[in-house]
Amino acid sequence: MKPHLPSVAARTISPRAAARLRVGLLAFTLLAAAAAAQTPPLYSRWINYTPANGFPRGEVYCVAIAGPRVWAGTEHGLALIENGRLRKVFTRADGLAAYAIMSLAVDPNTGDLWIGGLGGLSRYSAGKFINYTVLSSGLANDLVYSVAVRGKYVWAATAAGVSRLNTWTHSWRIFSVVGKPSAPFEEPWAYALAIGPKKAYIGLWGGGVVVYDLRRKTWRPYLDPDGAPEIVLYRNQGLISNMVSSLTHGAESNAFWAGTYFGLSGYDGARWHNYMRQDSGLASNFINGVALQGRRVWAATQRGLSEFDPGARVWVTYRPANWRALDAGKAARPQRGEILITGPGGHPRRLETATSLAHNYILNLAFQGNDIWVATAAGLSHGFAAPARRILYAHPNRVHRHPARAAYARQTRH
Amino acid sequence: MTPRLQREGGKKAALRRALWVALAIAAVAATLAMRGPRHEARDWAAVYSRRRYYDPVDLKLSPHGRRLYVACEGRNEVLAINTASRRVIAAIPVGRRPKALALSPGGRRLFVANAWSGAISQIDTRALQVTRTLPAGWGVEGMAADRTGHYLYAANPLGNDISVIDLASGRETTRLAAGHFPEFAARLRGSWIGISNLLAQPAPPDTPPSSQLTLINAATRQVRWQVAIPGAVQMRHIAQTPPRFGGYLLIPFLQPHNLIPLIELRRDWYASNGLAIVQLRGRRAPRVREVLLDELDRAFANGYGAAVAPHTPWALITASGANQVAILNLERLHRLLQSPDADELARRLDAAPQFVARRLPTGRDPTAVAASPNGHFAYVANRADDTISVIDLAGLRNAGLIRLGAQRPLTARRRGQQLFFSALHSQDHEIACASCHPYEGFEDGLVWSFETPRLGRDVVENKTLLAIRGTSPFKWNGLNPNLATQDGPRTAMYIFRSQGFSPVQVRDLVAFINARPLPPNPHLAPGGLNPEQARGRALFFRTRTNTGQIIPLHDRCYYCHAPLTHFTSRVLMNVGTATRFDDTGAFKVPSLEGIYMRPPYLHNGEAQTLEEIWTRFNPRDRHGITSDMNKVQLNELIAYLDTL
C-alpha cells in the first residue's frame, strides 16, 4: 500500500518546532561526532617502502612526520618521502653527522628536523645540515638514541647521559652521573626521551625511568621494584623492568608510558598499569617503541605492532601472517597481513588482510592524519585506515560488511 | 702664656676660622653649582651630545615619501626628515647602537634595531615617539615586517639566528636558524622575507668561502631556502627588481681571493666586488648568479646599500669604500642575465659597463640607500660624513646634500674612521681596512696567505680589531710591535700596494682602531656568572688536575691568557698547533675577550668551534692540560670563556 504523504501545507512546521528540530539535529550530530571521535581506525591496507622500490636496505629505526613530508631514519641514512614517493636518501656525504639514524624530532615552531644517530646530532633546516658532535660541540656523546624538542630546548639521549641544547643561547647542559650537580642515573646510557610541558622523562638502559621537573629542577626515579628483569614479583606496583627502550608522555601531568624489553608499563600519575604478552593482547614483551594516539597506546614490538585501548580494554595487533617464517629468516618477504583483536575476554579473533607490514620486527611508528607509518626491520610501512569506520561505532548493532570492523565491534561488546 | 703668644694664637685661630668659612662657602658654591638649574644640566648634555657624530647607517622612506627616517648609530637616535624641506623635524632617542630600520606595511610603526641593547624600539610615526620596546636576539640588526604586519623578523648577527616577533603580543615566538652572522633583512614580493649574511659559512680553512641567503616563507614563519652564494662574503642590503626586470634579488657582496698567496699578486686583486643575483622560482630552488661591479681600471670597493627605484629602470648600489653609488639599468642587466654566457659574469671585469648607467660620488662611507615611492629621488646615508646625499633619478645626478647637524671639527678618531672605511688609499682603490675587518673592525672569519712566496704556507686566520688596545704585539707571528707599524709601512707594502697612509693619517687611524669596543657580551647576565660559568672560571684558574696532580705553571690557562692583560700574555707560545705548512711553531697568544663571536680558532683557523681546540687539536696537552677533564667540565670551561 502506498503510504499516505501529507501535503506541503501539512508538512509546514512552526518556528518553535523547527528550532527544536535544529537543536535535536545538532545534538545528534555532536553525539555522532563524539562517538566517531572515539572510534579507533583499523589499518587494513599497507604500502611498503623496501629496497625493492629504492628504499635503503636494512632496518628502519624511526619515522617522523612534518606536514606532507615523511622522514625515516634508517641503518644507511635519512630517507625523505613526499606524496608517496621516495625523494632522497641523505647520508654523511650530504652532510649528515650520523651514518645510522636512530631518532627524529620535528620542531613545530621552526619546522626544522632534528636527527639523532650513531655519529652525532644534526639539525636539518631548509636543505642544510648543522651538525653537533662530541668533538665540535657540547654534546655528551656521539651515540644519540633519542632526540626531542620542546620550546627552545633540544634534548638528546646519548650513551653518556642526556644533553640539552638551548637553541637561543647555544649553551649545553649535560645530565649524567658526572658533573655537578649530577643526575641520579643508575646508568649514564640514556635510551629514551619524552619531554612534557612540565617534566622531562628519561629512559635509561638498566636504570629505569628518571623524571626531571623542569620548574623545580628536581629528580624522581622510577625503578622496577623487584629489580629483576626476567620476573615480575609485584604486578602493577612499579615499572615492569629497568631496561627501558622507549617513552611517551600523556596529556596529564606526570603520566607516561614506558616500553621495556620485558613488557609495557603505564603510569597515570598515581597507579601503574603493566602489560605483558602472557596476560594481554601485547604481541611481545620486547618493545622497541611506544606512542600515544589520543588515549590509545601503541607498542612497536619484535613480533608485531600492538595497539591498546585502555577504555575499551581491547588490543589490536598487526603483523605479517607469515611472521614466524620472517622472524626465522625462512621467508624473504611478507605475504598476507594478520590482525589480532583481543578483548577483555582474552580470546583473540584473527583476521587476514591482503597486504601487510614489511616485517614483524617493529621499531617505531608515527601518525599522519588518519594514516600510520611504521618503521620495521625490513622497510617502512604506510598503513591506511579502513574508510567509513565511524558508522560502525555510531550504530554498533548494524551488520558490518568489513570483517575486521565486525570483529572489533564484537570484541568491544564483551 | 704671654700676650704675644696669645696674640699669635688668636691670629692662628682667626686664620683657621677664616679658612673654615672659606671652605664652607666653597662647598656650598660647589653644591649649588653641581645642582644647578635644570636647563643648565640639559645644556651640558646638549654640549656633550653635540660632540658625538651621527653616523647615519640606515634609511627608510615613509610610504608616501614625504618623510625620511634615519638611524644614527653614533648618537642613539632616529631622525625624521621632511623630504620637501630637507630639514630634520624630530630626533627620537632609542636604544644603544640603532643599526637598522623597518616600517610596518602601512607605515604607522617604525621599528629600530638597537644592536647593543638587544632590543627593538617601536616608534609611532605620527607621534614620533617610542611606544614600546620589543625583545630581540643577540646584536639585533636587519629587520622586516611581513605583509600582514603581524610578525617582525629580526636578524641576530651574534646569535646566528633570526627572531620571529609576534607584534600583537610583543613576544618573540621563535628563533630560526640562519647562516653565519646574519645582518640584513628585507621584505620581498609574495610572502618572502630575505636575510643576508655578513660572514662566510664555517668551513675548513682550505675551502673557498661561501655565504648564505636565508629565505623565510612568512606564511608558515619557517625557513624555506638556505641559498648558498659561492665565493662571496659580506653580503649586505637586499633589493628586489620588478617582475618585468626579472624579479631578481640584488645583494652587494665581496669576493675575497684569500686562498691565493698575496705576495704572488703582481698588483692587487685581493678581492672583487659585485652583486649576487638571486632568482626566486616558486617551488624550485632559487637560481644564483653573480656579476662584478668592478671595472678594469677602478674597483667598486665594499658594496653596501641596495635599492630599486619604483617606476624607473634604475637600481642603486652604494660602495662604502669607493664613496660612490652605482646606478644600474635593470633592463640591460635583465637582458645580460638572459644571455647564454650569463654564468661567466662572476669573472668578467668588462660586464659592469654594460649595465651600470652612472656612477655618482657620495659622501664618505655611504651605507644605506632608499628611493622615493614616486621614483624621483634617492637618498644615500653617508656614515662618516653625517650627511644624506640626494640623487635626482630623472637626471641621474646629485641634487643636494642634507646635513644632519651642525658641522663639527673632526676629531682624530673621526678622521681615522673616514680612513678606515675608505679604499681610496689602495691601488686601484680596491681595498679598505673595512674590507677585511667588517662590522666596524671585526674580522672576516677567513684565513689569508700573507707575505709568503710559497703556495699554501703560513696561512693564517684574520684577527679582529675590536678591543685590541693593550694587546700588542700584533699578527700571529708577533712581528708587528704596534698598530702604527701595521697601519703604516706594512699596510702600504703588502696590502694597499700604494703610498699608503701619511704619518698623520696613521696616527688618526690608530686612534680610531684603539677605540673600537666589543659589543656587550650576551653570555654574561647582569647578575654575573651563573653557576655553570662560575665552575668554568674555577677550571680556568685551577692549579691541580682532577686526580690532584699539580699543573705546571706554564700549563695553566691563566698563565698564557693572563686576565690583567686582556687574557693574553702578549708573548709567543708554542702550544703544538703548528702544522707542516707553518714556518714557525710559536704564535702570539690571542686575547680571549669576545672569543665567543669569532670562530674559527687557532692561528690557521682549523678549529671551527671552541670545543675543537681541545677535542681535536690538543692531543698532547700542550695547549693547557685538558685531557683529564670530562665533557661536563669542558662545557663549563667554554661557558666561562664565552663570557669574556
Side-chain angles (χ1 to χ4, degrees):
Chain A
M1 187 178 128
K2 194 173 179 181
H4 168 73
L5 292 174
S7 67
V8 173
R11 276 188 278 137
T12 305
I13 56 173
S14 67
R16 177 177 258 182
R20 276 202 293 266
L21 186 62
R22 280 194 209 103
V23 170
L25 280 170
L26 181 66
F28 176 79
T29 308
L30 287 173
L31 284 171
Q38 293 176 354
T39 303
L42 274 181
Y43 297 96
S44 55
R45 189 165 72 88
W46 299 91
I47 291 176
N48 294 326
Y49 297 83
T50 65
N53 48 18
F55 204 73
R57 63 186 169 81
E59 295 186 329
V60 183
Y61 294 115
C62 51
V63 58
I65 310 298
R69 291 180 159 190
V70 179
W71 296 93
T74 80
E75 204 175 333
H76 300 286
L78 175 68
L80 169 61
I81 293 169
E82 212 168 3
N83 299 323
R85 290 181 59 189
L86 178 66
R87 293 284 178 196
K88 186 169 173 60
V89 179
F90 297 92
T91 65
R92 293 182 95 168
D94 298 298
L96 258 176
Y99 53 91
I101 310 304
M102 306 303 292
S103 178
L104 299 168
V106 177
D107 185 332
N109 289 324
T110 64
D112 293 350
L113 179 73
W114 288 85
I115 305 143
L118 307 184
L121 177 70
S122 296
R123 178 183 193 172
Y124 182 81
S125 180
K128 290 193 68 175
F129 291 101
I130 305 166
N131 291 335
Y132 305 88
T133 67
V134 71
L135 295 183
S136 68
S137 73
L139 185 67
N141 193 278
D142 281 350
L143 303 182
V144 181
Y145 294 100
S146 183
V147 60
V149 181
R150 168 71 67 170
K152 66 177 82 165
Y153 293 104
V154 175
W155 299 70
T158 81
V162 173
S163 284
R164 188 182 71 178
L165 169 65
N166 183 331
T167 59
W168 288 27
T169 64
H170 315 287
S171 58
W172 289 86
R173 170 94 193 266
I174 293 176
F175 301 95
S176 188
V177 291
V178 298
K180 295 173 187 173
S182 61
F185 291 177
E186 294 214 341
E187 290 284 338
W189 202 291
Y191 230 58
L193 279 174
I195 313 298
K198 294 179 182 172
K199 293 182 177 172
Y201 305 87
I202 299 166
L204 300 169
W205 179 255
V209 176
V210 183
V211 178
Y212 182 62
D213 190 307
L214 297 171
R215 279 192 200 155
R216 295 177 185 160
K217 298 182 169 41
T218 54
W219 294 93
R220 182 167 178 187
Y222 294 92
L223 293 165
D224 180 0
D226 54 46
E230 301 85 359
I231 55 173
V232 176
L233 285 179
Y234 313 103
R235 176 72 193 260
N236 289 342
Q237 289 188 13
L239 189 67
I240 205 163
S241 165
N242 288 337
M243 310 293 272
V244 179
S245 65
S246 50
L247 279 170
T248 184
H249 69 84
E252 305 86 8
S253 177
N254 219 24
F256 65 89
W257 287 89
T260 79
Y261 283 177
F262 295 91
L264 177 67
S265 274
Y267 184 62
D268 62 11
R271 289 186 300 275
W272 288 89
H273 307 274
N274 292 338
Y275 302 94
M276 300 177 79
R277 183 184 59 80
Q278 301 88 315
D279 52 16
S280 72
L282 186 65
S284 164
N285 291 336
F286 194 93
I287 298 171
N288 293 309
V290 287
L292 273 174
Q293 187 191 30
R295 65 179 184 180
R296 297 188 306 281
V297 61
W298 290 74
T301 84
Q302 68 170 353
R303 289 182 177 174
L305 176 66
S306 290
E307 173 200 8
F308 176 53
D309 184 338
R313 293 195 294 159
V314 173
W315 289 84
V316 179
T317 289
Y318 302 87
R319 61 188 175 195
N322 61 338
W323 67 271
R324 289 179 194 279
L326 281 171
D327 213 31
K330 293 176 181 173
R333 64 185 67 167
Q335 294 167 350
R336 296 172 67 79
E338 178 181 270
I339 303 177
L340 294 174
I341 304 172
T342 310
H347 301 292
R349 290 179 182 275
R350 182 176 181 279
L351 304 166
E352 283 205 358
T353 52
T355 54
S356 165
L357 284 159
H359 200 273
N360 58 284
Y361 194 96
I362 312 296
L363 289 116
N364 198 256
L365 66 147
F367 300 97
Q368 187 183 37
N370 287 329
D371 294 0
I372 189 170
W373 291 81
V374 184
T376 82
L380 182 69
S381 297
H382 182 188
F384 298 88
R389 176 144 173 68
R390 292 172 191 163
I391 297 166
L392 166 71
Y393 279 82
H395 309 283
N397 293 323
R398 282 180 59 172
V399 176
H400 306 289
R401 279 175 290 179
H402 195 297
R405 288 184 229 139
Y408 197 105
R410 278 197 291 279
Q411 291 292 16
T412 54
R413 287 200 297 274
H414 268 288
Chain B
M1 184 181 287
T2 63
R4 188 181 170 190
L5 283 173
Q6 280 180 350
R7 273 199 306 276
E8 283 180 351
K11 276 183 185 173
K12 281 183 181 173
L15 271 172
R16 272 201 297 271
R17 275 198 300 273
L19 188 65
W20 279 114
V21 169
L23 277 172
I25 290 168
V28 169
T31 307
L32 288 173
M34 284 170 71
R35 281 180 65 195
R38 287 178 65 85
H39 72 269
E40 199 170 305
R42 279 202 302 273
D43 284 351
W44 277 110
V47 167
Y48 172 70
S49 66
R50 275 201 295 272
R51 291 170 59 187
R52 297 175 67 185
Y53 297 98
Y54 286 84
D55 288 341
V57 70
D58 199 14
L59 299 173
K60 282 288 177 291
L61 273 159
S62 60
H64 46 63
R66 289 194 288 271
R67 196 180 281 171
L68 179 69
Y69 302 104
V70 187
C72 299
E73 62 170 325
R75 291 173 59 122
N76 301 333
E77 284 177 348
V78 170
L79 302 182
I81 295 173
N82 183 321
T83 52
S85 65
R86 296 182 182 174
R87 289 182 183 278
V88 175
I89 57 171
I92 308 154
V94 291
R96 297 176 67 196
R97 285 284 177 120
K99 297 284 279 189
L101 302 172
L103 274 168
S104 62
R108 284 287 309 276
R109 293 172 292 177
L110 177 70
F111 303 101
V112 187
N114 305 305
W116 283 21
S117 303
I120 296 167
S121 300
Q122 180 179 313
I123 292 173
D124 181 331
T125 54
R126 288 188 182 171
L128 290 176
Q129 286 181 340
V130 174
T131 52
R132 66 172 171 173
T133 302
L134 300 166
W138 294 358
V140 58
E141 291 208 14
M143 299 172 297
D146 68 2
R147 296 208 168 271
T148 64
H150 293 157
Y151 286 92
L152 183 72
Y153 297 82
N156 307 315
L158 301 182
N160 298 326
D161 49 28
I162 300 156
S163 295
V164 183
I165 298 158
D166 179 355
L167 291 174
S169 67
R171 293 175 58 188
E172 183 179 358
T173 60
T174 310
R175 278 199 192 168
L176 303 171
H180 192 194
F181 230 83
E183 202 179 4
F184 299 90
R187 181 171 67 221
L188 310 173
R189 256 190 299 284
S191 60
W192 295 106
I193 302 288
I195 310 274
S196 64
N197 289 355
L198 187 73
L199 303 182
Q201 291 300 99
D206 56 349
T207 51
S210 176
S211 208
Q212 185 171 298
L213 170 71
T214 302
L215 290 169
I216 300 165
N217 184 347
T220 60
R221 297 188 292 282
Q222 294 180 352
V223 178
R224 181 64 188 90
W225 299 108
Q226 303 271 24
V227 186
I229 313 292
V233 297
Q234 298 184 39
M235 299 205 306
R236 299 184 192 260
H237 284 271
I238 306 169
Q240 188 170 25
T241 67
R244 65 192 168 111
F245 298 132
Y248 307 115
L249 309 185
L250 309 179
I251 314 165
F253 67 55
L254 180 143
Q255 283 179 342
H257 305 152
N258 58 310
L259 296 180
I260 301 171
L262 298 185
I263 204 81
E264 294 288 296
L265 298 175
R266 285 182 182 277
R267 294 172 60 220
D268 41 10
W269 205 53
Y270 290 90
S272 301
N273 300 279
L275 278 179
I277 299 178
V278 181
Q279 187 178 13
L280 304 180
R281 301 190 296 178
R283 291 189 171 185
R284 287 191 296 162
R287 182 177 186 183
V288 179
R289 279 173 294 188
E290 297 171 4
V291 295
L292 294 184
L293 290 171
D294 290 339
E295 293 183 25
L296 281 168
D297 57 345
R298 55 182 167 176
F300 192 73
N302 301 352
Y304 201 107
V308 169
H311 317 298
T312 72
W314 313 126
L316 296 100
I317 309 292
T318 63
S320 77
N323 296 344
Q324 277 184 5
V325 58
I327 302 176
L328 278 50
N329 185 319
L330 294 176
E331 196 172 354
R332 289 189 203 161
L333 179 63
H334 183 41
R335 207 180 308 136
L336 194 64
L337 290 169
Q338 289 175 321
S339 65
D341 56 350
D343 290 336
E344 297 294 316
L345 295 173
R347 291 176 289 278
R348 296 290 293 267
L349 282 169
D350 61 348
Q354 298 179 56
F355 60 86
V356 175
R358 192 72 56 89
R359 293 175 192 257
L360 295 176
T362 62
R364 293 185 180 90
D365 187 17
T367 53
V369 56
S372 61
N374 58 12
H376 292 172
F377 292 100
Y379 302 87
V380 176
N382 302 310
R383 179 164 49 178
D385 269 351
D386 287 354
T387 58
I388 306 291
S389 295
V390 184
I391 295 166
D392 173 8
L393 291 173
L396 299 187
R397 59 183 179 84
N398 278 314
L401 198 66
I402 303 173
R403 298 187 190 282
L404 298 183
Q407 288 294 291
R408 290 172 296 282
L410 296 182
T411 61
R413 282 187 198 172
R414 182 62 159 184
R415 290 192 299 270
Q417 178 188 4
Q418 292 174 345
L419 293 167
F420 186 85
F421 288 100
S422 172
L424 304 183
H425 298 268
S426 64
Q427 191 175 31
D428 289 343
H429 302 172
E430 186 198 51
I431 194 167
C433 303
S435 300
C436 298
H437 297 283
Y439 200 62
E440 291 93 62
F442 190 45
E443 61 183 52
D444 58 10
L446 302 174
V447 296
W448 288 82
S449 185
F450 277 120
E451 300 172 37
T452 174
R454 287 173 292 176
L455 185 67
R457 293 198 67 80
D458 295 324
V459 174
V460 290
E461 188 247 348
N462 190 3
K463 297 181 83 171
T464 181
L465 301 181
L466 302 182
I468 64 165
R469 184 171 196 169
T471 64
S472 61
F474 302 109
K475 293 176 66 70
W476 281 103
N477 57 19
L479 288 178
N480 271 357
N482 51 49
L483 279 179
T485 308
Q486 174 63 36
D487 296 343
R490 296 192 75 90
T491 294
M493 180 182 292
Y494 293 110
I495 299 173
F496 282 2
R497 310 287 175 94
S498 66
Q499 293 295 315
F501 299 114
S502 71
V504 174
Q505 288 174 325
V506 167
R507 195 185 60 202
D508 293 344
L509 193 58
V510 169
F512 173 74
I513 292 173
N514 271 331
R516 297 287 79 214
L518 281 168
N521 191 323
H523 288 277
L524 195 56
L529 302 181
N530 66 31
E532 188 189 16
Q533 292 163 344
R535 290 193 294 273
R537 182 176 59 183
L539 289 165
F540 185 85
F541 289 103
R542 72 178 185 160
T543 56
R544 291 177 182 271
T545 65
N546 283 340
T547 56
Q549 290 179 318
I550 291 179
I551 300 173
L553 187 62
H554 60 271
D555 283 333
R556 297 174 189 174
C557 301
Y558 62 84
Y559 180 77
C560 295
H561 295 286
L564 290 178
T565 49
H566 305 277
F567 291 90
T568 169
S569 56
R570 303 169 60 176
V571 296
L572 301 184
M573 295 293 288
N574 186 341
V575 291
T577 53
T579 68
R580 60 197 174 94
F581 300 112
D582 292 306
D583 290 337
T584 178
F587 300 98
K588 154 83 188 301
V589 175
S591 165
L592 297 182
E593 290 178 342
I595 193 79
Y596 75 94
M597 62 186 284
R598 47 187 169 98
Y601 302 104
L602 300 180
H603 73 282
N604 53 7
E606 274 191 316
Q608 299 296 304
T609 61
L610 282 172
E611 282 86 355
E612 286 190 344
I613 294 174
W614 298 285
T615 58
R616 293 187 60 199
F617 299 106
N618 190 27
R620 295 181 183 83
D621 271 353
R622 293 181 64 184
H623 196 162
I625 291 182
T626 55
S627 60
D628 67 312
M629 287 187 187
N630 59 46
K631 188 66 180 171
V632 174
Q633 289 177 311
L634 187 57
N635 282 2
E636 289 168 347
L637 176 64
I638 290 170
Y640 171 64
L641 297 179
D642 282 340
T643 66
L644 299 178

